[in-house]
Amino acid sequence: MKKNQTNVLSELRQMILEGALSAGSRIAEVPTAEMLGVSRTPVRIAFRALEQEGLLTKLAGRGYEVRSISVEEIMGAVEVRGVLEGLAARQAAERGLSLEHQQALASLLEEGDQILDVESLQEADLERYQQMNKRFHDIVIEAAHNPAIQAALSRNEHLPFASSSALAFDKKHMQREARRFQFAHQQHHHVYHAIVNGLGTRAEGIMREHANATLGYVHQPKDSDSLTVITERKL
């Protein structure tokens, strides 16, 4: 399958997550493009995105360096995201969804159901889910009508794996990934139900759990300062 921009970004993010691109290593456009079998343009765009996510540091000369990321750094960023998105969900429930937002969320839930209703989940399906997932989160935040939440989330998204769009998935274990995405999408249904029915406290709790479910799976080896595999990521 020909890699698109999202494929390249997700693959590089996963390589950093698993340590295939280790902390402190230098990476450049040409060798990375050759390794992935793509042109330099999607790699260049991916590098910039990963820099914004806090995974790469741009060097004074050419190229980038993979940042050293601690478990504590990820935990802190994900917890903050959970608090902010939980607050957004509660305020959206208390204010009431507009018909436009309600229809958009319902349509995204249906799209997610269709994506996951397959015998064998493929990489292309997960790319579609990733786009759906980001839009779902964006609408919940929009529905809160609170610019302070949006501003705080924008700052937090520059930290590693703190953004709803910074998804990673393990292509070597697609069945496990399918179960993970199916569970996450059920949480989407539950938070939607809570918001539509004005259950602010419930909506907040589900949305916080939706982000913080990551933390029970993050681990760091005792004999290393670098992050190793995170077997479950936020959705």
Side-chain angles (χ1 to χ4, degrees):
M1 181 184 71
K2 184 178 180 181
K3 292 185 175 69
N4 59 30
Q5 183 60 58
T6 306
N7 296 143
V8 172
L9 178 57
S10 296
E11 189 159 349
L12 288 172
R13 188 185 290 125
Q14 182 70 18
M15 291 174 72
I16 293 172
L17 184 67
E18 293 179 336
L21 294 173
S22 58
S25 62
R26 297 190 176 191
I27 56 176
E29 289 178 16
V30 173
T32 303
E34 291 175 350
M35 175 184 66
L36 297 178
V38 297
S39 67
R40 293 176 61 181
T41 299
V43 172
R44 183 183 306 119
I45 296 172
F47 280 180
R48 290 173 182 168
L50 293 170
E51 181 187 13
Q52 289 295 308
E53 292 178 16
L55 297 178
L56 296 180
T57 301
K58 188 171 179 58
L59 299 174
R62 292 185 176 181
Y64 290 80
E65 182 177 278
V66 179
R67 280 195 57 215
S68 176
I69 306 166
S70 69
V71 170
E72 289 75 15
E73 189 174 3
I74 292 178
M75 289 176 65
V78 172
E79 285 179 334
V80 168
R81 177 190 162 212
V83 170
L84 292 170
E85 290 196 341
L87 176 60
R90 176 169 64 80
Q91 292 188 342
E94 292 171 348
R95 293 175 183 272
L97 286 179
S98 67
L99 180 60
E100 180 183 1
H101 280 151
Q102 185 171 340
Q103 290 176 338
L105 289 175
S107 177
L108 289 168
L109 289 175
E110 183 177 353
E111 180 183 352
D113 291 341
Q114 292 174 350
I115 292 170
L116 297 172
D117 187 22
V118 293
E119 291 185 4
S120 179
L121 204 61
Q122 304 299 314
E123 185 177 351
D125 299 322
L126 296 184
E127 301 293 354
R128 288 179 58 208
Y129 184 93
Q130 182 173 5
Q131 296 171 12
M132 181 282 300
N133 176 74
K134 183 180 187 305
R135 184 59 184 148
F136 185 93
H137 283 251
D138 286 347
I139 292 176
V140 170
I141 295 162
E142 288 172 12
H145 298 289
N146 188 334
I149 294 177
Q150 293 178 322
L153 279 168
S154 179
R155 290 192 294 272
N156 194 58
E157 285 180 354
H158 293 292
L159 300 174
F161 297 100
S163 169
S164 61
S165 62
L167 296 181
F169 52 86
D170 188 350
K171 292 185 291 185
K172 297 187 294 293
H173 300 91
M174 292 296 280
Q175 287 186 340
R176 183 184 67 192
E177 295 293 69
R179 291 192 299 270
R180 179 166 70 89
F181 278 74
Q182 288 163 354
F183 174 76
H185 195 54
Q186 282 303 308
Q187 289 182 317
H188 287 157
H189 277 277
H190 294 322
V191 77
Y192 170 78
H193 179 272
I195 292 174
V196 167
N197 288 280
L199 305 175
T201 300
R202 176 168 170 77
E204 181 175 20
I206 296 170
M207 206 64 171
R208 290 184 67 163
E209 173 58 27
H210 190 53
N212 292 335
T214 303
L215 301 181
Y217 299 90
V218 177
H219 68 278
Q220 186 169 0
K222 296 180 179 179
D223 59 346
S224 173
D225 293 329
S226 61
L227 185 71
T228 57
V229 175
I230 299 176
T231 58
E232 193 89 352
R233 268 83 58 187
K234 63 188 182 309
L235 296 169

